[in-house]
PDB file of all heavy atoms in Angstrom:
ATOM      1  N   GLY A1427      -3.094  -3.955   5.461  1.00 92.00           N
ATOM      2  CA  GLY A1427      -3.045  -4.454   6.838  1.00 92.00           C
ATOM      3  C   GLY A1427      -3.334  -3.286   7.733  1.00 92.00           C
ATOM      4  O   GLY A1427      -3.131  -2.139   7.329  1.00 92.00           O
ATOM      5  N   SER A1429      -3.362  -0.278  10.407  1.00 80.00           N
ATOM      6  CA  SER A1429      -2.380   0.712  10.833  1.00 80.00           C
ATOM      7  C   SER A1429      -1.691   0.189  12.098  1.00 80.00           C
ATOM      8  O   SER A1429      -2.358  -0.297  13.014  1.00 80.00           O
ATOM      9  CB  SER A1429      -3.160   2.004  11.131  1.00 80.00           C
ATOM     10  OG  SER A1429      -2.299   3.050  11.361  1.00 80.00           O
ATOM     11  N   LYS A1433       3.645  -2.795   8.465  1.00 93.00           N
ATOM     12  CA  LYS A1433       3.802  -3.052   7.018  1.00 93.00           C
ATOM     13  C   LYS A1433       5.058  -2.383   6.468  1.00 93.00           C
ATOM     14  O   LYS A1433       5.787  -2.955   5.679  1.00 93.00           O
ATOM     15  CB  LYS A1433       2.618  -2.470   6.205  1.00 93.00           C
ATOM     16  CG  LYS A1433       1.284  -3.085   6.487  1.00 93.00           C
ATOM     17  CD  LYS A1433       0.212  -2.416   5.636  1.00 93.00           C
ATOM     18  CE  LYS A1433      -0.067  -0.982   5.998  1.00 93.00           C
ATOM     19  NZ  LYS A1433      -1.070  -0.649   6.919  1.00 93.00           N
ATOM     20  N   SER A1453       1.968   7.026  -2.636  1.00 97.00           N
ATOM     21  CA  SER A1453       0.581   7.494  -2.658  1.00 97.00           C
ATOM     22  C   SER A1453       0.522   9.005  -2.492  1.00 97.00           C
ATOM     23  O   SER A1453       1.472   9.627  -2.017  1.00 97.00           O
ATOM     24  CB  SER A1453      -0.202   6.862  -1.510  1.00 97.00           C
ATOM     25  OG  SER A1453      -0.310   5.481  -1.697  1.00 97.00           O
ATOM     26  N   ALA A1454      -0.636   9.562  -2.851  1.00 98.00           N
ATOM     27  CA  ALA A1454      -0.894  10.974  -2.555  1.00 98.00           C
ATOM     28  C   ALA A1454      -1.819  11.046  -1.351  1.00 98.00           C
ATOM     29  O   ALA A1454      -2.635  10.150  -1.135  1.00 98.00           O
ATOM     30  CB  ALA A1454      -1.550  11.634  -3.763  1.00 98.00           C
ATOM     31  N   ARG A1457      -3.279  14.365   4.152  1.00 94.00           N
ATOM     32  CA  ARG A1457      -2.892  14.528   5.569  1.00 94.00           C
ATOM     33  C   ARG A1457      -1.542  15.238   5.652  1.00 94.00           C
ATOM     34  O   ARG A1457      -0.693  15.077   4.767  1.00 94.00           O
ATOM     35  CB  ARG A1457      -2.915  13.180   6.295  1.00 94.00           C
ATOM     36  CG  ARG A1457      -1.599  12.497   6.413  1.00 94.00           C
ATOM     37  CD  ARG A1457      -1.534  11.559   7.593  1.00 94.00           C
ATOM     38  NE  ARG A1457      -0.587  10.468   7.385  1.00 94.00           N
ATOM     39  CZ  ARG A1457       0.725  10.611   7.307  1.00 94.00           C
ATOM     40  NH1 ARG A1457       1.296  11.811   7.368  1.00 94.00           N
ATOM     41  NH2 ARG A1457       1.505   9.558   7.140  1.00 94.00           N
ATOM     42  N   ARG A1460       4.119  13.904   8.839  1.00 93.00           N
ATOM     43  CA  ARG A1460       4.626  13.736  10.209  1.00 93.00           C
ATOM     44  C   ARG A1460       6.085  14.188  10.202  1.00 93.00           C
ATOM     45  O   ARG A1460       6.699  14.276   9.135  1.00 93.00           O
ATOM     46  CB  ARG A1460       4.578  12.257  10.610  1.00 93.00           C
ATOM     47  CG  ARG A1460       3.175  11.686  10.599  1.00 93.00           C
ATOM     48  CD  ARG A1460       3.156  10.281  11.234  1.00 93.00           C
ATOM     49  NE  ARG A1460       1.829   9.720  11.156  1.00 93.00           N
ATOM     50  CZ  ARG A1460       1.503   8.617  10.476  1.00 93.00           C
ATOM     51  NH1 ARG A1460       2.422   7.941   9.823  1.00 93.00           N
ATOM     52  NH2 ARG A1460       0.267   8.180  10.455  1.00 93.00           N
ATOM     53  N   GLU A1463       8.854  12.989   7.576  1.00 96.00           N
ATOM     54  CA  GLU A1463       8.292  12.550   6.288  1.00 96.00           C
ATOM     55  C   GLU A1463       8.600  13.602   5.224  1.00 96.00           C
ATOM     56  O   GLU A1463       8.486  14.798   5.476  1.00 96.00           O
ATOM     57  CB  GLU A1463       6.770  12.347   6.396  1.00 96.00           C
ATOM     58  CG  GLU A1463       6.409  11.057   7.094  1.00 96.00           C
ATOM     59  CD  GLU A1463       4.908  10.789   7.113  1.00 96.00           C
ATOM     60  OE1 GLU A1463       4.125  11.756   7.080  1.00 96.00           O
ATOM     61  OE2 GLU A1463       4.528   9.622   7.180  1.00 96.00           O
ATOM     62  N   TYR A1469       5.026  10.106   0.891  1.00 96.00           N
ATOM     63  CA  TYR A1469       3.783  10.442   0.177  1.00 96.00           C
ATOM     64  C   TYR A1469       4.037  11.643  -0.721  1.00 96.00           C
ATOM     65  O   TYR A1469       4.992  12.397  -0.503  1.00 96.00           O
ATOM     66  CB  TYR A1469       2.685  10.882   1.184  1.00 96.00           C
ATOM     67  CG  TYR A1469       2.022   9.762   1.941  1.00 96.00           C
ATOM     68  CD1 TYR A1469       2.383   9.485   3.258  1.00 96.00           C
ATOM     69  CD2 TYR A1469       1.014   8.996   1.362  1.00 96.00           C
ATOM     70  CE1 TYR A1469       1.770   8.462   3.977  1.00 96.00           C
ATOM     71  CE2 TYR A1469       0.390   7.978   2.072  1.00 96.00           C
ATOM     72  CZ  TYR A1469       0.774   7.716   3.375  1.00 96.00           C
ATOM     73  OH  TYR A1469       0.159   6.701   4.073  1.00 96.00           O
ATOM     74  N   GLU A1488      -7.282   4.726  -7.713  1.00 97.00           N
ATOM     75  CA  GLU A1488      -8.250   4.605  -6.623  1.00 97.00           C
ATOM     76  C   GLU A1488      -7.945   5.703  -5.632  1.00 97.00           C
ATOM     77  O   GLU A1488      -6.799   6.125  -5.516  1.00 97.00           O
ATOM     78  CB  GLU A1488      -8.174   3.221  -5.948  1.00 97.00           C
ATOM     79  CG  GLU A1488      -6.813   2.841  -5.341  1.00 97.00           C
ATOM     80  CD  GLU A1488      -6.522   3.489  -3.999  1.00 97.00           C
ATOM     81  OE1 GLU A1488      -7.464   3.714  -3.233  1.00 97.00           O
ATOM     82  OE2 GLU A1488      -5.343   3.793  -3.722  1.00 97.00           O
ATOM     83  N   CYS A1489      -8.986   6.197  -4.959  1.00 97.00           N
ATOM     84  CA  CYS A1489      -8.745   7.113  -3.845  1.00 97.00           C
ATOM     85  C   CYS A1489      -9.933   7.094  -2.905  1.00 97.00           C
ATOM     86  O   CYS A1489     -11.060   6.836  -3.321  1.00 97.00           O
ATOM     87  CB  CYS A1489      -8.425   8.528  -4.324  1.00 97.00           C
ATOM     88  SG  CYS A1489      -9.768   9.361  -5.158  1.00 97.00           S
ATOM     89  N   PHE A1490      -9.637   7.287  -1.628  1.00 95.00           N
ATOM     90  CA  PHE A1490     -10.677   7.216  -0.595  1.00 95.00           C
ATOM     91  C   PHE A1490     -10.347   8.178   0.537  1.00 95.00           C
ATOM     92  O   PHE A1490      -9.184   8.482   0.785  1.00 95.00           O
ATOM     93  CB  PHE A1490     -10.733   5.806   0.021  1.00 95.00           C
ATOM     94  CG  PHE A1490     -11.333   4.787  -0.886  1.00 95.00           C
ATOM     95  CD1 PHE A1490     -10.528   3.981  -1.674  1.00 95.00           C
ATOM     96  CD2 PHE A1490     -12.713   4.640  -0.974  1.00 95.00           C
ATOM     97  CE1 PHE A1490     -11.074   3.039  -2.519  1.00 95.00           C
ATOM     98  CE2 PHE A1490     -13.270   3.702  -1.819  1.00 95.00           C
ATOM     99  CZ  PHE A1490     -12.454   2.902  -2.592  1.00 95.00           C
ATOM    100  N   VAL A1492      -9.852   7.957   4.035  1.00 79.00           N
ATOM    101  CA  VAL A1492      -9.542   6.742   4.782  1.00 79.00           C
ATOM    102  C   VAL A1492     -10.170   6.695   6.171  1.00 79.00           C
ATOM    103  O   VAL A1492     -10.673   5.680   6.603  1.00 79.00           O
ATOM    104  CB  VAL A1492      -8.020   6.478   4.807  1.00 79.00           C
ATOM    105  CG1 VAL A1492      -7.646   5.413   5.815  1.00 79.00           C
ATOM    106  CG2 VAL A1492      -7.558   6.014   3.425  1.00 79.00           C
ATOM    107  N   PHE A1493     -10.167   7.804   6.873  1.00 69.00           N
ATOM    108  CA  PHE A1493     -10.860   7.813   8.164  1.00 69.00           C
ATOM    109  C   PHE A1493     -12.012   8.794   8.072  1.00 69.00           C
ATOM    110  O   PHE A1493     -11.878   9.850   7.459  1.00 69.00           O
ATOM    111  CB  PHE A1493      -9.914   8.211   9.303  1.00 69.00           C
ATOM    112  CG  PHE A1493      -8.710   7.338   9.361  1.00 69.00           C
ATOM    113  CD1 PHE A1493      -7.460   7.844   9.076  1.00 69.00           C
ATOM    114  CD2 PHE A1493      -8.838   5.999   9.662  1.00 69.00           C
ATOM    115  CE1 PHE A1493      -6.358   7.024   9.091  1.00 69.00           C
ATOM    116  CE2 PHE A1493      -7.738   5.169   9.683  1.00 69.00           C
ATOM    117  CZ  PHE A1493      -6.493   5.689   9.396  1.00 69.00           C
ATOM    118  N   TYR A1499      -6.587   9.681   0.670  1.00 96.00           N
ATOM    119  CA  TYR A1499      -5.389   8.979   0.217  1.00 96.00           C
ATOM    120  C   TYR A1499      -5.704   8.387  -1.157  1.00 96.00           C
ATOM    121  O   TYR A1499      -6.835   7.954  -1.387  1.00 96.00           O
ATOM    122  CB  TYR A1499      -5.060   7.799   1.147  1.00 96.00           C
ATOM    123  CG  TYR A1499      -4.663   8.172   2.544  1.00 96.00           C
ATOM    124  CD1 TYR A1499      -5.620   8.529   3.484  1.00 96.00           C
ATOM    125  CD2 TYR A1499      -3.335   8.158   2.934  1.00 96.00           C
ATOM    126  CE1 TYR A1499      -5.249   8.854   4.789  1.00 96.00           C
ATOM    127  CE2 TYR A1499      -2.957   8.477   4.234  1.00 96.00           C
ATOM    128  CZ  TYR A1499      -3.924   8.829   5.154  1.00 96.00           C
ATOM    129  OH  TYR A1499      -3.560   9.154   6.427  1.00 96.00           O
ATOM    130  N   GLY A1500      -4.719   8.313  -2.026  1.00 97.00           N
ATOM    131  CA  GLY A1500      -4.997   7.692  -3.321  1.00 97.00           C
ATOM    132  C   GLY A1500      -3.737   7.313  -4.073  1.00 97.00           C
ATOM    133  O   GLY A1500      -2.644   7.827  -3.823  1.00 97.00           O
ATOM    134  N   THR A1501      -3.927   6.370  -5.008  1.00 97.00           N
ATOM    135  CA  THR A1501      -2.838   5.906  -5.873  1.00 97.00           C
ATOM    136  C   THR A1501      -2.953   6.612  -7.214  1.00 97.00           C
ATOM    137  O   THR A1501      -3.978   6.473  -7.892  1.00 97.00           O
ATOM    138  CB  THR A1501      -2.967   4.377  -6.116  1.00 97.00           C
ATOM    139  OG1 THR A1501      -3.064   3.722  -4.856  1.00 97.00           O
ATOM    140  CG2 THR A1501      -1.784   3.853  -6.910  1.00 97.00           C
ATOM    141  N   GLU A1519       1.099   0.016  -1.023  1.00 96.00           N
ATOM    142  CA  GLU A1519       0.788  -0.179   0.395  1.00 96.00           C
ATOM    143  C   GLU A1519      -0.438   0.684   0.685  1.00 96.00           C
ATOM    144  O   GLU A1519      -0.314   1.889   0.946  1.00 96.00           O
ATOM    145  CB  GLU A1519       2.001   0.255   1.229  1.00 96.00           C
ATOM    146  CG  GLU A1519       1.860  -0.071   2.687  1.00 96.00           C
ATOM    147  CD  GLU A1519       2.863   0.682   3.548  1.00 96.00           C
ATOM    148  OE1 GLU A1519       3.981   0.986   3.071  1.00 96.00           O
ATOM    149  OE2 GLU A1519       2.504   0.969   4.699  1.00 96.00           O
ATOM    150  N   ILE A1520      -1.605   0.085   0.580  1.00 95.00           N
ATOM    151  CA  ILE A1520      -2.842   0.873   0.658  1.00 95.00           C
ATOM    152  C   ILE A1520      -3.873   0.161   1.527  1.00 95.00           C
ATOM    153  O   ILE A1520      -3.692  -1.004   1.863  1.00 95.00           O
ATOM    154  CB  ILE A1520      -3.427   1.162  -0.748  1.00 95.00           C
ATOM    155  CG1 ILE A1520      -3.787  -0.122  -1.472  1.00 95.00           C
ATOM    156  CG2 ILE A1520      -2.445   1.976  -1.571  1.00 95.00           C
ATOM    157  CD1 ILE A1520      -4.373   0.111  -2.865  1.00 95.00           C
ATOM    158  N   ASP A1521      -4.944   0.867   1.877  1.00 91.00           N
ATOM    159  CA  ASP A1521      -5.925   0.241   2.758  1.00 91.00           C
ATOM    160  C   ASP A1521      -6.801  -0.744   1.974  1.00 91.00           C
ATOM    161  O   ASP A1521      -6.704  -0.835   0.748  1.00 91.00           O
ATOM    162  CB  ASP A1521      -6.735   1.299   3.518  1.00 91.00           C
ATOM    163  CG  ASP A1521      -7.812   1.912   2.664  1.00 91.00           C
ATOM    164  OD1 ASP A1521      -7.690   1.868   1.423  1.00 91.00           O
ATOM    165  OD2 ASP A1521      -8.790   2.439   3.218  1.00 91.00           O
ATOM    166  N   GLN A1523     -10.090  -0.982   1.315  1.00 93.00           N
ATOM    167  CA  GLN A1523     -11.061  -0.554   0.296  1.00 93.00           C
ATOM    168  C   GLN A1523     -10.331  -0.161  -0.993  1.00 93.00           C
ATOM    169  O   GLN A1523     -10.796  -0.483  -2.091  1.00 93.00           O
ATOM    170  CB  GLN A1523     -11.978   0.562   0.792  1.00 93.00           C
ATOM    171  CG  GLN A1523     -11.281   1.758   1.378  1.00 93.00           C
ATOM    172  CD  GLN A1523     -12.254   2.808   1.928  1.00 93.00           C
ATOM    173  OE1 GLN A1523     -13.448   2.780   1.624  1.00 93.00           O
ATOM    174  NE2 GLN A1523     -11.743   3.719   2.725  1.00 93.00           N
ATOM    175  N   GLY A1524      -9.164   0.468  -0.862  1.00 95.00           N
ATOM    176  CA  GLY A1524      -8.354   0.803  -2.039  1.00 95.00           C
ATOM    177  C   GLY A1524      -7.858  -0.464  -2.732  1.00 95.00           C
ATOM    178  O   GLY A1524      -7.899  -0.582  -3.954  1.00 95.00           O
ATOM    179  N   GLY A1525      -7.413  -1.421  -1.922  1.00 96.00           N
ATOM    180  CA  GLY A1525      -6.891  -2.678  -2.461  1.00 96.00           C
ATOM    181  C   GLY A1525      -7.962  -3.415  -3.261  1.00 96.00           C
ATOM    182  O   GLY A1525      -7.706  -3.884  -4.373  1.00 96.00           O
ATOM    183  N   ARG A1555       4.014   4.438  19.137  1.00 69.00           N
ATOM    184  CA  ARG A1555       4.400   5.307  18.025  1.00 69.00           C
ATOM    185  C   ARG A1555       4.280   6.770  18.444  1.00 69.00           C
ATOM    186  O   ARG A1555       5.046   7.611  17.995  1.00 69.00           O
ATOM    187  CB  ARG A1555       3.515   5.004  16.808  1.00 69.00           C
ATOM    188  CG  ARG A1555       4.041   5.576  15.554  1.00 69.00           C
ATOM    189  CD  ARG A1555       3.639   4.736  14.356  1.00 69.00           C
ATOM    190  NE  ARG A1555       2.321   5.125  13.879  1.00 69.00           N
ATOM    191  CZ  ARG A1555       1.740   4.604  12.795  1.00 69.00           C
ATOM    192  NH1 ARG A1555       2.337   3.659  12.119  1.00 69.00           N
ATOM    193  NH2 ARG A1555       0.570   5.017  12.413  1.00 69.00           N
ATOM    194  N   ARG A1566      -8.218   4.647  14.226  1.00 77.00           N
ATOM    195  CA  ARG A1566      -7.396   3.664  13.516  1.00 77.00           C
ATOM    196  C   ARG A1566      -7.714   2.247  13.985  1.00 77.00           C
ATOM    197  O   ARG A1566      -7.715   1.310  13.196  1.00 77.00           O
ATOM    198  CB  ARG A1566      -5.906   3.980  13.705  1.00 77.00           C
ATOM    199  CG  ARG A1566      -5.436   5.027  12.725  1.00 77.00           C
ATOM    200  CD  ARG A1566      -4.106   5.624  13.095  1.00 77.00           C
ATOM    201  NE  ARG A1566      -3.933   6.885  12.398  1.00 77.00           N
ATOM    202  CZ  ARG A1566      -3.239   7.045  11.270  1.00 77.00           C
ATOM    203  NH1 ARG A1566      -2.635   6.034  10.722  1.00 77.00           N
ATOM    204  NH2 ARG A1566      -3.159   8.217  10.709  1.00 77.00           N
ATOM    205  N   GLU A1573     -11.184  -3.578   8.633  1.00 84.00           N
ATOM    206  CA  GLU A1573     -10.256  -4.120   7.629  1.00 84.00           C
ATOM    207  C   GLU A1573     -10.071  -5.627   7.804  1.00 84.00           C
ATOM    208  O   GLU A1573      -9.993  -6.370   6.830  1.00 84.00           O
ATOM    209  CB  GLU A1573      -8.898  -3.418   7.712  1.00 84.00           C
ATOM    210  CG  GLU A1573      -8.973  -1.976   7.295  1.00 84.00           C
ATOM    211  CD  GLU A1573      -7.686  -1.447   6.663  1.00 84.00           C
ATOM    212  OE1 GLU A1573      -6.599  -1.929   7.022  1.00 84.00           O
ATOM    213  OE2 GLU A1573      -7.778  -0.571   5.815  1.00 84.00           O
TER     214      GLU A1573
HETATM  215  P1  5GP B1164      -0.870   6.734   7.343  1.00 78.26           P
HETATM  216  O1  5GP B1164      -1.584   8.046   7.500  1.00 78.26           O
HETATM  217  O2  5GP B1164      -0.644   6.055   8.662  1.00 78.26           O
HETATM  218  O3  5GP B1164       0.393   6.854   6.538  1.00 78.26           O
HETATM  219  O4  5GP B1164      -1.832   5.770   6.495  1.00 78.26           O
HETATM  220  C1  5GP B1164      -3.130   5.579   6.893  1.00 78.26           C
HETATM  221  C2  5GP B1164      -3.798   4.527   6.029  1.00 78.26           C
HETATM  222  O5  5GP B1164      -3.910   4.980   4.681  1.00 78.26           O
HETATM  223  C3  5GP B1164      -3.062   3.188   5.960  1.00 78.26           C
HETATM  224  O6  5GP B1164      -4.014   2.161   6.218  1.00 78.26           O
HETATM  225  C4  5GP B1164      -2.580   3.119   4.542  1.00 78.26           C
HETATM  226  O7  5GP B1164      -2.540   1.779   4.082  1.00 78.26           O
HETATM  227  C5  5GP B1164      -3.655   3.905   3.823  1.00 78.26           C
HETATM  228  N1  5GP B1164      -3.185   4.412   2.527  1.00 78.26           N
HETATM  229  C6  5GP B1164      -1.975   4.928   2.233  1.00 78.26           C
HETATM  230  N2  5GP B1164      -1.900   5.247   0.942  1.00 78.26           N
HETATM  231  C7  5GP B1164      -3.092   4.916   0.383  1.00 78.26           C
HETATM  232  C8  5GP B1164      -3.617   4.986  -0.950  1.00 78.26           C
HETATM  233  O8  5GP B1164      -2.973   5.406  -1.894  1.00 78.26           O
HETATM  234  N3  5GP B1164      -4.885   4.550  -1.123  1.00 78.26           N
HETATM  235  C9  5GP B1164      -5.629   4.045  -0.115  1.00 78.26           C
HETATM  236  N4  5GP B1164      -6.859   3.629  -0.401  1.00 78.26           N
HETATM  237  N5  5GP B1164      -5.166   3.961   1.137  1.00 78.26           N
HETATM  238  C10 5GP B1164      -3.912   4.388   1.391  1.00 78.26           C
END
Side-chain angles (χ1 to χ4, degrees):
S1429 188
K1433 296 179 292 268
S1453 294
R1457 97 154 153 68
R1460 299 190 183 117
E1463 283 184 332
Y1469 283 102
E1488 59 78 33
C1489 66
F1490 287 96
V1492 167
F1493 304 113
Y1499 294 78
T1501 307
E1519 188 196 330
I1520 61 180
D1521 79 337
Q1523 52 183 344
R1555 194 150 86 176
R1566 277 165 199 262
E1573 292 210 330

